Amino acid sequence: MNSARDTAKNAPTALRLFGLFAGISAVTIGGGYAIVPVIGNALEKRGWMDEKEFYDLFARAQAFPGPLALTTAVLCSIKLAGFRGAVAAFLGVIVPPFFALILVGSLLGRFGSLPAVRRFLDGAGATVPGLVAAMVWRNAKKRKWTAFRAVSTIALAVALALLPGMSMPILLGGILLLYVSEAAWKS
Amino acid sequence: MEILNVVWTFFKIGIISFGGGWSIVGIIKSEVVPRWLDEAGFRSLVAIAQSTPGPIALNAATLIGWDQGGFLGAIAATLSVVAFPMMAIAAAGWLGPKIPLKKTALDEALRTGSMAMMLMTLWALRPDSADPVLLGLGVLAFVFAAFTKLNSLWAILGAGAINAAFGPFLRGLFGIAP
């Protein structure tokens, strides 16, 4: 891998990283878990990073807040091209969606009150509870459940639902408590 | 200067946006409804954010910023939601190796946190209308997303198209005024 990385012809420069991530970000729809494997394949194909190295960085990205596609792209690019690479990846990930949303926002401003458009938006919005339920279902099936995890998941969810204005202290405090308990459990 | 409130709100959302995509949507909703959007408007916003490129929290910030403050508002809101995550990565680069963290315990704590956020999102976005067509589309979307590997984009666009084209006709079948 290092030999490919060192040849100037194919080196991961800031400009190339920007182009790569802008391209991926512009065409990948469906959130973090859809885009992350695409990033991994692209980096591997260019010989910039092997699969193991990529998934280590992806695992680290999950410990940070923020969209997974963004944090993964930035962590990979720091490794490949330092601070300039990180800035390039950051812009690459956020610029294409930004303009797509501005376009959609202005179209809605103009056509949003037409009855057919309203019905389209109502129909699209009606899928949201179903999609969230499917996400919960998939994640609940994957989770390694213990009694402690089940009880704390439900307690935290109820606290968040009852006190929406306090979500930040509840979550940060909750995750800290969970971390301490999980760590104590192991040792 | 409503846009300053938008920026501050999304900055705070960025601090707790763990767990990818859907987890944070319930918290976004509790912050922006009814201040900047009504219930139905928020559901459409989520559907749009999920069927356009880009992370959902970022897209929600862009649209609400655009609504409240035009082009500059959209830029400010978009940057505010990623400001804290980027600072956290920079800080971890400096401090990371010096803080001894138990990796698996942290992963499990974050998984529990994001599962709870997802449940809260499900509660916050439970169906809010008794309209049989909209409820039916929600059930179809669940089956589509839970039991197939297809991109949920197609469920969102399909449901929108069905309701736009056949909504009044279907409601007529149920004896409801369109």
Side-chain angles (χ1 to χ4, degrees):
Chain A
M1 290 303 148
N2 278 328
S3 60
R5 199 181 286 177
D6 292 341
T7 50
K9 218 167 59 184
N10 183 34
T13 59
L15 193 63
R16 287 199 183 113
L17 286 166
F18 173 81
L20 172 69
F21 287 115
I24 294 174
S25 181
V27 299
T28 314
I29 293 170
Y33 294 103
I35 198 170
V36 162
V38 181
I39 296 177
N41 286 339
L43 293 177
E44 198 182 348
K45 211 175 72 189
R46 282 166 180 70
W48 291 347
M49 193 174 277
D50 62 31
E51 202 180 337
K52 162 138 192 0
E53 203 178 358
F54 175 76
Y55 280 97
D56 284 348
L57 286 171
F58 172 54
R60 195 181 304 170
Q62 289 176 305
F64 288 101
L68 269 177
L70 181 67
T71 47
T72 304
V74 167
L75 285 177
C76 290
S77 302
I78 290 177
K79 185 130 199 188
L80 291 171
F83 179 72
R84 286 162 53 93
V87 173
F90 173 80
L91 292 173
V93 171
I94 72 167
V95 167
F98 177 81
F99 284 104
L101 267 292
I102 293 293
L103 179 68
V104 171
S106 44
L107 286 175
L108 284 180
R110 191 165 301 175
F111 303 110
S113 50
L114 295 176
V117 175
R118 287 233 55 86
R119 287 203 302 274
F120 181 89
L121 291 174
D122 285 345
T127 61
V128 168
L131 298 178
V132 181
M135 194 69 186
V136 169
W137 162 263
R138 279 177 184 265
N139 279 280
K141 261 197 335 191
K142 272 199 312 220
R143 188 90 179 92
K144 287 197 200 83
W145 289 104
T146 63
F148 169 72
R149 285 173 195 165
V151 171
S152 43
T153 301
I154 290 172
L156 202 52
V158 170
L160 287 171
L162 291 180
L163 300 165
M166 302 277 290
S167 47
M168 179 142 51
I170 291 173
L171 262 177
L172 295 180
I175 288 174
L176 184 66
L177 272 177
L178 287 165
Y179 169 71
V180 173
S181 340
E182 290 273 1
W185 211 274
K186 284 268 145 45
S187 55
Chain B
M1 287 300 279
E2 195 58 11
I3 190 64
L4 293 179
N5 286 326
V6 176
V7 165
W8 174 236
T9 301
F10 276 99
F11 177 76
K12 286 188 298 180
I13 289 171
I15 297 176
I16 49 176
S17 54
F18 286 102
W22 286 108
S23 318
I24 193 66
V25 173
I27 287 165
I28 296 179
K29 187 192 165 194
S30 72
E31 295 284 338
V32 307
V33 176
R35 203 157 28 152
W36 296 306
L37 282 169
D38 61 11
E39 186 71 45
F42 185 76
R43 280 160 207 267
S44 321
L45 175 133
V46 173
I48 293 168
Q50 190 65 11
S51 49
T52 41
I56 200 161
L58 214 64
N59 293 357
T62 307
L63 276 177
I64 291 174
W66 167 255
D67 247 20
Q68 297 298 323
F71 189 72
L72 291 177
I75 293 180
T78 308
L79 291 178
S80 67
V81 76
V82 293
F84 184 83
M86 292 300 109
M87 291 193 278
I89 288 182
W94 289 103
L95 301 172
K98 288 173 204 150
I99 306 173
L101 276 178
K102 295 202 164 91
K103 187 85 181 62
T104 47
L106 182 64
D107 284 346
E108 292 302 339
L110 290 172
R111 281 199 193 108
T112 301
S114 90
M115 193 76 209
M117 288 162 80
M118 260 182 250
L119 286 173
M120 184 268 195
T121 299
L122 182 59
W123 171 251
L125 290 169
R126 66 195 183 279
D128 69 327
S129 99
D131 183 308
V133 176
L134 296 184
L135 286 175
L137 290 173
V139 172
L140 283 179
F142 171 76
V143 173
F144 187 96
F147 303 111
T148 75
K149 287 201 181 311
L150 301 165
N151 194 315
S152 57
L153 167 72
W154 305 115
I156 296 171
L157 296 182
I162 289 171
N163 196 48
F166 308 117
F169 169 72
L170 290 170
R171 284 183 189 85
L173 287 183
F174 287 104
I176 301 167

